[in-house]
Amino acid sequence: AWVTRPAPTAPAVRSDGRRGPPTAPPPCPVDALSFSDPLGLAVSPDGHSVYVATAATYEAQLHHFERGAGNALTGQECWTSPDPGAFEDCGAGRRVPGIGTAQSVVATNTRVFVAGHAQSAVAAFTRDATSGGLTAQGCVKWVSVVHECGEANELAGLDDIRTVVLS
């Protein structure tokens, strides 16, 4: 597989053969630095979306790709931590608590979950079944004095989290 940028506009039937709205150019870069320390990989059950969790501290922590013809991966979006100094090229609204130093990612048809080691948290996203696009839904984290996920979403025992698994 290789990484490409999508065209600025797309036809009604996308290059991957699926129907859906045109895909905008990704707000995240596709340079090698943005993909350092990939520790988690998840492929959606339909096989079209690929999500990569990266542990790079000041870079995007979650990358979304769509598979196209010949299994080419096209960058769609990235997500990063709201921490000061964190990567800012993912675009407006793509900073979400709980994914700092991402360790693993798991995807279903309708959800994506990311384990973020820096905040000892699990961030949840809804997944659009047509485009694979993500919408942040919140997070749960270990009990601490910093309440990025909201104090009601803190759970004892989540400290030093490194993986997330669904069963």
Side-chain angles (χ1 to χ4, degrees), residues 86-145:
F87 190 74
E88 296 184 9
D89 289 346
C90 289
R94 297 195 190 276
R95 296 179 75 132
V96 61
I99 65 171
T101 318
Q103 302 285 302
S104 71
V105 59
V106 63
T108 71
N109 285 323
T110 58
R111 304 259 186 222
V112 172
F113 299 93
V114 179
H117 179 66
Q119 290 92 13
S120 290
V122 176
F125 298 84
T126 55
R127 177 183 177 269
D128 181 277
T130 302
S131 69
L134 301 176
T135 303
Q137 295 298 304
C139 58
V140 294
K141 70 179 292 293
W142 72 301
V143 180
S144 73
V145 296

